[in-house]
């Protein structure tokens, strides 16, 4: 089945559907510019058991996606992996509260964390086969402790945070499970505050971005070669191999930093500042993904791609009313989650965006 440009297409169980074709087809076929039009497709990535849902949390450049899904026997939530759209169980970590898988590198190594208590999380590393290991922390580097593991690069360097014996939070870099490097703090807190610094992103050069407490203000930072650069109020959450940084500034407004210069991301539907939007992922081409407030209102959101200085609506799965994007690889494949029907469980979703007509075949 051929899908024409400008017609959003949706795929479920291997079948693509064109929406609005009857309204648009005649104009598309008569328009010479149609062949350069944007086509957005969204696919349901499936679940381990019918009706129990799934989430996609990160994707690498080999099109391997990690997330979670509930299985149908004990109804427990498992960590899962998709190779393209082929789903299988990945791991059954961990005791306590369910883990979040935050980042996957090219080799398929994964990092994240789980809450051992309602207040304290434990950083975790999974090898490519799904074996989980607790990362060492500063309170006792020989064993696992409290902290966060937020991003892993292809060299196995992990950016995150670890708590010391005084429960101060240090930005750190782990080298897989073998060692932990304390990055210290960007500044000192005001009286009555704990010292606090968290690394959220790391690139191939080992440059780290994050957030730290200076006085009573939370400030975004870049850490490079042992030196902190204060980027201003907010949080820096991602850095790519070109040094582009993404995050948010005062008011939780999404921004990028390039060579120290901050720029607001545009809002979906217009507007210079993307109030209510959030960035969840970035690739090495400078594409960013996340979500915006849904036009239907309420507490719902809608997945968004920022590309070439524009905000592009990725949309919901047809019939759903909530979606958000969590990751994008260098090929532009986007993953996230959303419901298929209002009130239904969330399913992992995968979006592709092209600028030409595509062919989708029944499988």
């Amino acid at each position: 089945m051929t899908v024409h440009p400008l017609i959003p297409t949706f795929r479920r169980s291997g079948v693509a559907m064109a929406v609005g074709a009857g309204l648009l087809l005649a104009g598309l076929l008569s328009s010479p510019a149609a062949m350069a039009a944007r086509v957005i497709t969204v696919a349901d990535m499936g679940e381990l058991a019918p009706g129990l849902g799934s989430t996609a949390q990160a994707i690498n450049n080999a099109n391997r996606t990690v997330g979670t899904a509930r299985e149908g026997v004990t109804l427990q939530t498992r960590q899962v992996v998709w190779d393209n759209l082929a789903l299988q169980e990945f791991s059954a970590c961990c005791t306590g509260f369910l883990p979040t898988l935050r980042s996957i590198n090219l080799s398929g190594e994964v990092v994240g964390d789980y809450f051992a208590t309602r207040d304290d999380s434990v950083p975790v590393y999974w090898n490519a086969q799904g074996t989980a290991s607790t990362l060492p922390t500063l309170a006792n580097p020989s064993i696992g402790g409290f902290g966060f593991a937020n991003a892993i690069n292809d060299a196995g360097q992990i950016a995150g945070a670890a708590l010391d014996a005084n429960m101060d939070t240090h930005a750190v870099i782990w080298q897989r499970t073998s060692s932990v490097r304390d990055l210290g703090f960007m500044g000192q807190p005001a009286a009555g505050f704990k010292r606090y610094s968290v690394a959220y992103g790391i690139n191939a050069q080992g440059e780290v971005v994050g957030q730290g407490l200076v006085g009573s203000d939370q400030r975004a930072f870049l850490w490079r070669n042992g030196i902190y650069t204060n980027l201003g109020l907010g949080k820096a959450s991602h850095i790519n191999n070109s040094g582009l940084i993404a995050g948010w500034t005062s008011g939780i407004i999404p921004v990028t930093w390039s060579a120290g210069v901050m720029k607001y991301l545009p809002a979906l539907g217009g507007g210079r500042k993307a109030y209510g939007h959030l960035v969840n992922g970035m690739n090495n081409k400078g594409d960013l993904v996340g979500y915006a407030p849904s036009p239907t209102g309420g507490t719902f959101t809608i997945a968004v791609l920022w590309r070439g200085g524009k905000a592009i609506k990725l949309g919901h799965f047809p019939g759903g009313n909530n979606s958000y994007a969590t990751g994008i690889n260098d090929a532009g494949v986007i993953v996230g989650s959303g419901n298929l029907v209002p009130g239904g469980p969330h399913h992992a979703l995968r979006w592709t965006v092209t600028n030409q007509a595509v062919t989708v075949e029944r499988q």
Side-chain angles (χ1 to χ4, degrees):
M1 176 175 65
T2 299
V3 181
H4 294 276
L6 285 180
I7 303 175
T9 62
F10 310 94
R11 182 176 173 186
R12 184 175 182 182
S13 300
V15 179
M17 298 170 285
V19 177
L23 296 176
L24 297 175
L25 185 56
L28 290 168
L29 295 179
S30 63
S31 171
M35 292 307 295
R38 182 183 300 119
V39 175
I40 299 174
T41 66
V42 57
D44 173 13
M45 299 178 72
E47 51 193 346
L48 288 177
L52 297 183
S54 60
T55 65
Q57 296 170 341
I59 185 171
N60 70 7
N61 283 332
N63 283 332
R64 172 166 267 217
T65 302
V66 288
T68 60
R70 292 176 69 190
E71 51 86 14
V73 178
T74 66
L75 304 184
Q76 297 296 307
T77 298
R78 304 298 193 195
Q79 294 83 64
V80 295
V81 61
W82 290 263
D83 288 299
N84 290 308
L85 291 175
L87 169 64
Q88 63 180 331
E89 191 169 324
F90 178 63
S91 175
C93 175
C94 302
T95 59
F97 294 83
L98 296 174
T100 298
L101 288 71
R102 302 187 185 277
S103 179
I104 180 171
N105 68 10
L106 184 59
S107 299
E109 299 168 302
V110 178
V111 296
D113 41 71
Y114 72 96
F115 278 92
T117 72
R118 291 191 179 275
D119 299 314
D120 300 306
S121 64
V122 175
V124 179
Y125 161 87
W126 289 263
N127 66 18
Q129 292 72 46
T131 301
S133 302
T134 300
L135 291 169
T137 63
L138 301 176
N140 186 344
S142 65
I143 62 173
F146 297 141
F148 312 89
N150 293 315
I152 183 170
N153 65 16
D154 289 345
Q157 295 175 301
I158 302 165
L163 275 65
D164 64 19
N166 296 318
M167 300 303 284
D168 289 330
T169 304
H170 301 238
V172 298
I173 297 175
W174 288 277
Q175 183 61 49
R176 295 187 173 90
T177 59
S178 63
S179 64
V180 57
R181 177 179 180 181
D182 184 2
L183 304 186
F185 307 97
M186 181 169 60
Q188 294 301 312
F193 289 84
K194 287 283 188 180
R195 295 186 298 174
Y196 177 87
S197 185
V198 176
Y200 285 101
I202 188 168
N203 65 10
Q205 292 79 41
E207 299 167 330
V208 170
V209 294
Q211 183 183 55
L213 186 65
V214 179
S216 58
D217 294 325
Q218 296 282 7
R219 294 186 170 268
F221 70 73
L222 165 67
W223 181 93
R224 177 191 290 144
N225 297 326
I227 298 173
Y228 276 97
T229 298
N230 188 334
L231 299 174
L233 290 171
K235 170 183 170 180
S237 54
H238 300 81
I239 182 169
N240 69 12
N241 292 343
S242 299
L244 180 68
I245 300 168
W248 50 262
T249 189
S250 183
I252 315 183
I253 305 169
V255 296
T256 59
W257 291 268
S258 181
V261 177
M262 188 186 77
K263 182 179 180 180
Y264 290 102
L265 290 177
L268 188 65
R272 189 173 68 88
K273 297 180 180 180
Y275 295 103
H277 299 51
L278 193 68
V279 173
N280 288 326
M282 179 169 66
N283 67 14
N284 288 313
K285 295 183 178 180
D287 297 329
L288 303 104
V289 294
Y291 63 80
S294 174
T296 59
T299 59
F300 302 116
T301 60
I302 190 165
V304 174
L305 164 68
W306 285 272
R307 174 176 288 171
K310 298 180 180 180
I312 300 167
K313 181 172 67 175
L314 295 173
H316 304 127
F317 196 88
N321 63 353
N322 196 43
S323 65
Y324 55 93
T326 52
I328 181 170
N329 66 15
D330 290 348
V333 180
I334 301 162
V335 296
S337 303
N339 56 19
L340 307 187
V341 295
H346 277 199
H347 282 218
L349 301 176
R350 188 177 77 170
W351 291 266
T352 56
V353 181
T354 60
N355 290 321
Q356 58 185 2
V358 296
T359 299
V360 182
E361 297 178 345
R362 186 183 301 270
Q363 293 182 341

